[in-house]
Amino acid sequence: MRNFFTDSNQQYYHERNQYTIEKLPDKVLRDIFQYLSPKQINQVGLVCKKWRVISQNPLLWKFVSFRPNYGGIQVNPQCIDFFIQLIGARFSELRIVELATDLITPNVLYELANKAPKLQYLTLDFSTAMQLHDFTDLQSFPSRLKSLTLCLSENIFLEGFLRKVYTFISSVETLHIIGTYEKVEDEEEEVYETVNVFKLKQFLPNLRVVNLWGVPFITDEHVDAISSNCAHLECLCINYCPKVTGSCLKLVLQRCRKLKTLFLAHTKLDNNVVKMVDWEKTRIEELDIKGTELNSEALISILTRLPHLRWLDASWLENMTDQVLEAWQNSNAMGSLQFLNMDTCDSLNEQALVDMIKRHGHQFHGLCLGGQHKLLEYFWMNMIPQLRNIRVMVMGIAEDCCPKVVAKIHVDQFIDCIAQNCPRLTRLEVRWDDETLRFSDKSSKFIDVLRMKCLMLHSIVLSDGQYYELVRSNFERADRMSVVRTTEMCRTGLLHCSRYFNQLLFN
């Protein structure tokens, strides 16, 4: 009997040892490691010799960020020579790479050009630069790039560097120039033109997407210059460029017949100039005029002459009034609209929004009406059934906004109404705080219904408090750990619904 149990135990442990992770083939381990970030791959390489060899496989290093300020790998300045050796050994399959200032050297760029032939997306971050390296000896640069991102410094001029790379970047289709808008504290502070846009555009004939984000020296003349050499331009983003007035738009839209996406958020658009643009002759499908100071006449002039518009961000517009909304609907230019953001448009009244949703609610896939204290329980309970195809929805007003909401909101009725009418919902944001929301111990049942009915829901953003904790614990019990978030850490918008969202991503 003793021998029988002994043999059985030995056989059990023998079979158990056959199915440990150490027995997995290298290819399977490599496929598992592909789901890890570069930092995590470095960590698993410390487990054992076998994992170390696998972690150094170039196929695992297709996307690497060396920008520690954005979660990338930190390279010690004393180890740059070793880093250069690794480019040929470990980074030969690179597709996407982000380089901090210390790594933008002639030797590193030379190795990337010669040892990483598949490199297509390059980010050069000069934003923390105090002084550039000497690029006199730079003879080679990646020449198969599809996307080039330049993060500018406030006072480091890049002309000496760019002069060496102009002849290598003609294949670039997406250009990002990321400015210092967030760093400029005083409007009267002197702004330096750190990039010669007039010369740069001569060497970029194949541009399809241009993103000039927060570049304080960009004017209409710069935008006009870029468009003069970009017949294939499809997306133009000049958000947070405070010197742009729109005087370039008429000529830009005449030249770039393929232009479909135009982002002008927080620019200084001039009302008279904007009204002179031939909007009806364009193919604009996506427009961002958030935070501009356009008057009602200019808004009517734009919106009523864009028949192909499917995506609009008109949030934080003081002059977005009932008259604008009525004129827009009467022009029949709203027929293609699918995504609409009118967050914090305080001049709109409830009845105007009711008429719009009753007429066009069935076609909306995304609707943001947050920040409006007039839209309470009665409005939403009547409008949600009209939004059968909605995927993204934002409602409520944050606790720190004025005026304060006095009425109580029965959130259980909201949740049940959404669950019964919005099966395609993927993102939901409810900004009312605990003092405004009315809920009970039975709220969990309504949350269960929402979770079971809206199977594609992967983001619920709520104000921090007891109701947030209740919803989060409910989803966590169902093993959906990352669905519920707070308004302090997350905001829901419609930018991800833009057709050029992936191309516009940076940092």
Side-chain angles (χ1 to χ4, degrees):
M1 184 68 69
R2 183 182 300 171
N3 291 337
F4 172 77
F5 282 112
T6 303
D7 293 343
S8 298
N9 289 337
Q10 289 177 350
Q11 182 178 1
Y12 169 75
Y13 286 116
H14 175 71
E15 292 178 353
R16 184 179 179 184
N17 289 334
Q18 283 185 325
Y19 298 104
T20 63
I21 195 169
E22 296 177 357
K23 304 296 182 180
L24 287 176
D26 291 358
K27 185 179 182 301
V28 175
L29 282 173
R30 189 190 70 201
D31 291 342
I32 295 173
F33 290 175
Q34 284 181 345
Y35 292 93
L36 303 178
S37 68
K39 280 188 174 181
Q40 293 171 329
I41 294 174
N42 273 337
Q43 292 173 347
V44 300
L46 302 175
V47 172
C48 61
K49 291 182 178 179
K50 179 179 179 180
W51 285 25
R52 181 182 180 185
V53 172
I54 297 173
S55 69
Q56 295 176 353
N57 191 311
L59 293 175
L60 296 176
W61 298 90
K62 295 180 180 180
F63 165 59
V64 190
S65 174
F66 297 103
R67 301 166 70 196
N69 292 340
Y70 296 93
I73 297 175
Q74 172 77 55
V75 177
N76 192 319
Q78 298 177 352
C79 301
I80 290 183
D81 291 339
F82 177 69
F83 170 74
I84 291 173
Q85 295 177 8
L86 284 179
I87 293 176
R90 189 181 301 185
F91 304 131
S92 59
E93 295 290 329
L94 266 180
R95 266 71 164 179
I96 305 172
V97 66
E98 299 178 348
L99 298 178
T101 304
D102 294 339
L103 298 180
I104 306 175
T105 67
N107 291 336
V108 170
L109 295 175
Y110 177 85
E111 288 296 310
L112 286 173
N114 291 280
K115 301 294 179 62
K118 298 180 181 179
L119 182 62
Q120 293 184 333
Y121 300 85
L122 176 62
T123 296
L124 302 177
D125 188 353
F126 297 97
S127 61
T128 58
M130 300 300 293
Q131 184 178 356
L132 286 184
H133 292 273
D134 184 5
F135 292 98
T136 305
D137 298 330
L138 181 62
Q139 301 296 330
S140 188
F141 189 82
S143 58
R144 297 180 178 87
L145 295 178
K146 285 187 176 181
S147 174
L148 176 63
T149 302
L150 301 174
C151 300
L152 306 183
S153 171
E154 293 180 275
N155 48 22
I156 298 296
F157 295 86
L158 300 183
E159 181 56 29
F161 163 72
L162 291 174
R163 193 182 301 118
K164 289 289 185 177
V165 306
Y166 281 143
T167 56
F168 298 97
I169 59 176
S170 60
S171 62
V172 171
E173 297 180 0
T174 301
L175 174 66
H176 296 270
I177 300 181
I178 311 305
T180 57
Y181 175 83
E182 296 175 335
K183 297 181 181 180
V184 177
E185 299 178 357
D186 187 358
E187 293 184 0
E188 297 181 359
E189 184 178 344
E190 187 174 1
V191 176
Y192 299 100
E193 189 170 338
T194 53
V195 171
N196 189 341
V197 175
F198 298 100
K199 189 170 184 180
L200 179 63
K201 62 98 177 181
Q202 300 175 21
F203 300 91
L204 296 168
N206 297 309
L207 285 179
R208 293 175 51 251
V209 178
V210 174
N211 180 19
L212 309 176
W213 194 95
V215 187
F217 63 81
I218 288 292
T219 64
D220 290 89
E221 287 72 22
H222 294 101
V223 179
D224 179 65
I226 290 177
S227 68
S228 66
N229 197 39
C230 299
H232 304 291
L233 191 64
E234 299 175 12
C235 174
L236 175 61
C237 174
I238 45 180
N239 289 347
Y240 299 94
C241 292
K243 292 188 177 182
V244 173
T245 64
S247 60
C248 62
L249 290 178
K250 185 170 185 178
L251 199 53
V252 168
L253 292 171
Q254 288 176 355
R255 288 173 178 158
C256 306
R257 294 294 184 180
K258 297 181 180 179
L259 190 65
K260 297 180 180 179
T261 298
L262 182 61
F263 287 178
L264 304 165
H266 294 279
T267 53
K268 299 293 184 181
L269 295 181
D270 181 87
N271 293 301
N272 295 325
V273 169
V274 165
K275 287 190 286 187
M276 294 174 61
V277 177
D278 298 324
W279 296 103
E280 65 277 3
K281 297 181 181 179
T282 68
R283 299 176 60 184
I284 297 295
E285 298 179 2
E286 300 178 354
L287 179 65
D288 187 351
I289 49 176
K290 172 178 58 182
T292 57
E293 298 180 0
L294 293 172
N295 60 27
S296 297
E297 292 182 4
L299 291 172
I300 292 174
S301 176
I302 296 173
L303 298 177
T304 57
R305 294 188 289 155
L306 288 173
H308 307 294
L309 196 64
R310 61 175 290 274
W311 187 101
L312 174 68
D313 190 337
S315 56
W316 295 91
L317 292 182
E318 185 178 347
N319 295 310
M320 176 61 79
T321 62
D322 297 351
Q323 290 73 26
V324 175
L325 205 56
E326 183 180 1
W328 189 14
Q329 294 182 79
N330 293 336
S331 68
N332 296 322
M334 202 183 278
S336 301
L337 192 67
Q338 295 180 352
F339 302 94
L340 176 61
N341 187 348
M342 292 197 296
D343 199 319
T344 320
C345 291
D346 297 329
S347 300
L348 288 171
N349 289 309
E350 180 178 344
Q351 189 57 47
L353 293 169
V354 167
D355 295 340
M356 179 192 71
I357 294 177
K358 284 184 176 180
R359 185 172 177 179
H360 299 282
H362 65 281
Q363 69 194 48
F364 287 155
H365 292 177
L367 181 63
C368 294
L369 294 177
Q372 302 199 33
H373 63 279
K374 303 172 187 176
L375 307 183
L376 299 175
E377 183 176 338
Y378 180 80
F379 171 84
W380 285 107
M381 289 299 296
N382 285 281
M383 293 301 102
I384 288 175
Q386 308 290 331
L387 303 171
R388 293 280 181 176
N389 296 311
I390 203 72
R391 297 177 185 175
V392 184
M393 185 160 52
V394 179
M395 62 177 70
I397 183 169
E399 57 185 338
D400 57 347
C401 291
C402 291
K404 181 71 175 177
V405 177
V406 178
K408 294 292 185 180
I409 307 297
H410 295 79
V411 70
D412 292 342
Q413 297 182 26
F414 271 158
I415 296 300
D416 184 59
C417 189
I418 292 171
Q420 301 300 333
N421 293 283
C422 307
R424 300 182 181 181
L425 192 66
T426 61
R427 299 171 188 249
L428 172 66
E429 180 171 335
V430 179
R431 296 179 185 169
W432 291 298
D433 60 348
D434 271 2
E435 294 182 5
T436 305
L437 295 178
R438 180 173 292 178
F439 56 96
S440 65
D441 296 337
K442 297 181 180 180
S443 297
S444 293
K445 296 181 181 179
F446 295 98
I447 301 170
D448 287 335
V449 175
L450 177 70
R451 181 166 45 80
M452 298 299 293
K453 291 278 189 178
C454 301
L455 298 177
M456 293 185 288
L457 187 63
H458 58 75
S459 174
I460 302 179
V461 181
L462 302 168
S463 179
D464 197 3
Q466 293 182 5
Y467 188 71
Y468 160 74
E469 296 293 344
L470 178 65
V471 177
R472 188 186 69 170
S473 61
N474 185 291
F475 274 80
E476 287 181 351
R477 285 196 299 272
D479 200 25
R480 298 177 67 179
M481 310 299 290
S482 62
V483 173
V484 186
R485 310 156 192 185
T486 69
T487 51
E488 295 180 0
M489 303 296 294
C490 182
R491 285 288 181 176
T492 303
L494 297 178
L495 184 58
H496 68 283
C497 302
S498 168
R499 289 177 175 169
Y500 293 91
F501 173 69
N502 291 329
Q503 291 93 325
L504 290 173
L505 284 176
F506 63 93
N507 288 351

